[in-house]
Amino acid sequence: IIVLIVPAFYIFKTGAAFSKIITIRNIAWEKIFGKLPASEYNPPQDPDRINTLLLGIRGEEEPDGGLLTDGIMIASLQKSTGKVALISIPRDLYLQMPGEAKYEKINAAYAVGLEKYENGLDYVKKTVAYVSGLYINYAVEVNFEALKDIVDLMGGITIYLENKFTEDKQWLCDKNGQNCLPFVLEAGKQNLNGDATLLYVRSRFSSNDFDRARRKQQVIIALKDKVLSLGILSDPLKIGGIIDVLSKNIRTDVSPWQIPELLKLAKTAKTDNIIRRIFENSQQGLLYETKINGIYVLLPTEGNFTKIREACQNIFNQ
């Protein structure tokens, strides 16, 4: 009876929450990608990998680019080995939007998808698939409030800093953008609540966007450590409760009935040595910076995404 009731209750509870956050729409692929070569925008699915796109936005109600995905990360799991990789794609990467004549920064893909095709997640999945050469199985979009709530629900996270971190050009500034209140974290072990985590991953004025991507990966790993330490993956009711609380600030195309299978896969993941890759403005990072019409952008060093796709596809062969 317990074996039957617990999963049924879990599906019912998460189903109610997922009715708020799920974004699956019945839109024909041809409507979106009919103008494009299918081979370019539909990489073959690798049966040995699960690729989940993690997107961070400010929030739909936020002014000045609330729908821009300034955090773009692929979490990849190799089923046969349990290896896990985190791949960060910079927001300033410049490319032709799928099905469009115009070029945009990749962080605009979600907004373009919503505006033109009423489906932001599917559109940005196809855009990232084109860049990475990876079939994207799932996507999860979270806003600022979701990240803060997740960390607080976990009771905070712990990170380790080799050097002191200071952001003194971005937060609580006067109307002229001066006399900002410094956000400081000392070197060593730091325990962060939701507000501090949000400041940590959003800070970039005193460093750069690539350093911010590294900090985002660090926070993802810290959240993973906290989830494992609390035994949440083994407690479907806890998961259901967390999903219920976060339902206002998360969007995903994962269905409730897919959650149990994904949890089984998550338990096989070898998360003690996660592979991390950030594409950045260097020869090794496969991107270079320039300006187009006065706007800062990043372009692939090879003139196309071939090397980036190879790096993503072969990341577990390192």
Side-chain angles (χ1 to χ4, degrees):
I1 292 174
I2 291 174
V3 168
L4 291 175
I5 290 178
V6 171
F9 175 77
Y10 168 67
I11 293 296
F12 174 79
K13 184 173 180 61
T14 56
F18 265 73
S19 66
K20 303 177 185 177
I21 69 178
I22 201 161
T23 63
I24 292 177
R25 295 177 183 270
N26 186 22
I27 298 178
W29 288 122
E30 293 79 7
K31 177 181 176 182
I32 304 179
F33 303 105
K35 304 176 184 177
L36 303 172
S39 60
E40 285 293 323
Y41 288 89
N42 291 282
Q45 184 172 0
D46 184 346
D48 193 36
R49 283 176 75 165
I50 296 290
N51 299 308
T52 302
L53 181 61
L54 308 177
L55 301 169
I57 69 170
R58 299 179 190 178
E60 295 183 17
E61 305 303 322
E62 291 284 330
D64 302 322
L67 291 176
L68 296 179
T69 53
D70 286 345
I72 305 172
M73 191 184 306
I74 304 169
S76 187
L77 169 67
Q78 189 176 47
K79 296 179 185 179
S80 59
T81 65
K83 291 181 179 179
V84 177
L86 292 178
I87 304 169
S88 290
I89 297 175
R91 64 175 192 162
D92 294 311
L93 183 63
Y94 194 65
L95 74 162
Q96 185 178 7
M97 290 288 103
E100 301 291 315
K102 64 181 178 180
Y103 283 68
E104 295 268 9
K105 291 184 180 183
I106 195 169
N107 69 340
Y110 181 74
V112 170
L114 280 180
E115 179 184 353
K116 296 292 292 287
Y117 306 106
E118 300 181 353
N119 195 322
L121 282 187
D122 279 340
Y123 190 83
V124 74
K125 281 171 67 175
K126 286 294 182 179
T127 308
V128 171
Y130 170 60
V131 171
S132 65
L134 298 177
Y135 180 89
I136 306 298
N137 301 85
Y138 308 106
V140 179
E141 169 247 296
V142 300
N143 61 24
F144 289 166
E145 287 300 314
L147 176 61
K148 185 171 74 70
D149 289 348
I150 289 169
V151 173
D152 286 337
L153 280 169
M154 298 294 108
I157 60 172
T158 301
I159 62 172
Y160 182 84
L161 299 178
E162 293 185 1
N163 302 297
K164 180 179 179 179
F165 176 80
T166 302
E167 174 57 80
D168 57 4
K169 299 180 177 66
Q170 190 170 353
W171 306 119
L172 297 177
C173 309
D174 60 28
K175 61 181 180 180
N176 297 317
Q178 303 296 322
N179 302 314
C180 306
L181 183 66
F183 171 67
V184 179
L185 294 175
E186 299 294 336
K189 186 170 73 172
Q190 295 290 330
N191 299 311
L192 306 182
N193 62 14
D195 288 323
T197 300
L198 196 57
L199 291 174
Y200 183 61
V201 298
R202 291 186 61 197
S203 296
R204 67 184 180 93
F205 287 10
S206 297
S207 54
N208 55 55
D209 200 48
F210 307 116
D211 183 57
R212 182 168 66 165
R214 294 183 181 91
R215 285 184 272 113
K216 289 174 183 175
Q217 290 188 354
Q218 183 185 24
V219 164
I220 291 291
I221 292 173
L223 275 169
K224 174 268 300 181
D225 292 339
K226 195 59 179 281
V227 166
L228 293 179
S229 70
L230 295 175
I232 289 174
L233 291 181
S234 301
D235 192 336
L237 297 183
K238 285 184 180 179
I239 296 172
I242 291 172
I243 291 174
D244 192 42
V245 170
L246 300 177
S247 60
K248 294 183 296 182
N249 298 305
I250 288 182
R251 297 291 179 269
T252 186
D253 57 1
V254 178
S255 301
W257 50 87
Q258 293 174 313
I259 294 292
E261 183 61 29
L262 291 176
L263 286 176
K264 288 170 61 178
L265 284 173
K267 292 176 184 177
T268 68
K270 297 177 180 178
T271 58
D272 54 338
N273 188 25
I274 294 177
I275 302 168
R276 300 166 69 178
R277 179 65 191 260
I278 296 171
F279 294 108
E280 56 187 349
N281 58 341
S282 67
Q283 190 68 31
Q284 187 177 5
L286 301 179
L287 299 174
Y288 72 95
E289 61 183 36
T290 187
K291 287 190 175 181
I292 296 179
N293 298 324
I295 300 173
Y296 174 87
V297 299
L298 294 166
L299 298 173
T301 55
E302 302 294 318
N304 56 52
F305 295 113
T306 301
K307 291 293 184 181
I308 292 177
R309 291 171 184 170
E310 289 177 358
C312 293
Q313 292 165 351
N314 298 321
I315 196 165
F316 292 120
N317 299 329
Q318 301 176 6

